[in-house]
Amino acid sequence: MIDYGFHPVPKSEKKTKERRNKIKTSQRKRKPKDAGELTKEQVREEVKKRDGNWCLLSGKPGPGLHLHRVVYSGMGGGNGKYEVWNCVLLSNEMHTLVHSSKRTWMPLLLDYLMTKKQGNDTSHILMELRDKAK
């Protein structure tokens, strides 16, 4: 019989060795949520109230819409959080299209959000967005 050198040792007999250079640090803790901070689902509901439950570009109704951040979090959009002022609802196809060229879409979507925030008519911006999406 050939000995391959594998001799399993029962766990009770194994010696536990600690790494020599291991630095013991406390785990990073999440910051507690502020009282006024909304969750992603709460932001989604607020955006639905503002824009309706359909894709902003194609007009497809929900469910299954993506909550898209216009200014990406890496660019300072909400510091990694979802904010109502920075989000729109998009279908899967339109979400992919918007991510394919942020230079094209970001200014148009920001214009839509700013106009909506000021309470002005956004129909001309929506027409421009939907024509570009075709």
Side-chain angles (χ1 to χ4, degrees):
M1 180 141 156
I2 301 173
D3 183 14
Y4 291 102
F6 177 73
H7 303 287
V9 178
K11 288 188 178 189
S12 61
E13 293 179 21
K14 279 188 180 179
K15 293 181 180 178
T16 57
K17 283 188 173 182
E18 287 193 33
R19 290 178 37 203
R20 274 191 239 175
N21 298 330
K22 185 175 181 181
I23 299 170
K24 294 188 179 188
T25 58
S26 60
Q27 286 188 337
R28 185 171 55 108
K29 294 181 181 175
R30 291 182 181 221
K31 294 178 184 175
K33 288 195 174 215
D34 296 334
E37 191 177 313
L38 299 176
T39 65
K40 184 177 177 181
E41 288 308 314
Q42 290 171 329
V43 171
R44 181 185 302 276
E45 290 303 316
E46 291 296 318
V47 172
K48 279 182 189 178
K49 287 178 192 174
R50 183 188 70 203
D51 297 336
N53 190 23
W54 52 77
C55 173
L56 189 67
L57 301 180
S58 68
K60 286 184 181 179
L65 299 174
H66 293 263
L67 190 61
H68 173 71
R69 289 185 249 194
V70 177
V71 180
Y72 301 150
S73 61
M75 300 170 74
N79 296 323
K81 300 175 222 149
Y82 286 87
E83 302 281 346
V84 177
W85 63 267
N86 188 32
C87 291
V88 294
L89 291 173
L90 299 174
S91 66
N92 189 38
E93 298 84 20
M94 294 299 124
H95 195 229
T96 304
L97 178 70
V98 168
H99 274 278
S100 69
S101 176
K102 68 180 166 193
R103 281 188 185 187
T104 304
W105 293 101
M106 190 183 298
L108 294 170
L109 291 170
L110 280 174
D111 190 27
Y112 168 79
L113 289 173
M114 292 302 148
T115 306
K116 190 80 168 180
K117 187 176 182 179
Q118 294 168 355
N120 298 332
D121 182 34
T122 57
S123 59
H124 65 285
I125 300 170
L126 280 174
M127 284 177 36
E128 185 180 350
L129 284 167
R130 290 178 179 161
D131 286 343
K132 199 170 242 350
K134 289 182 183 179

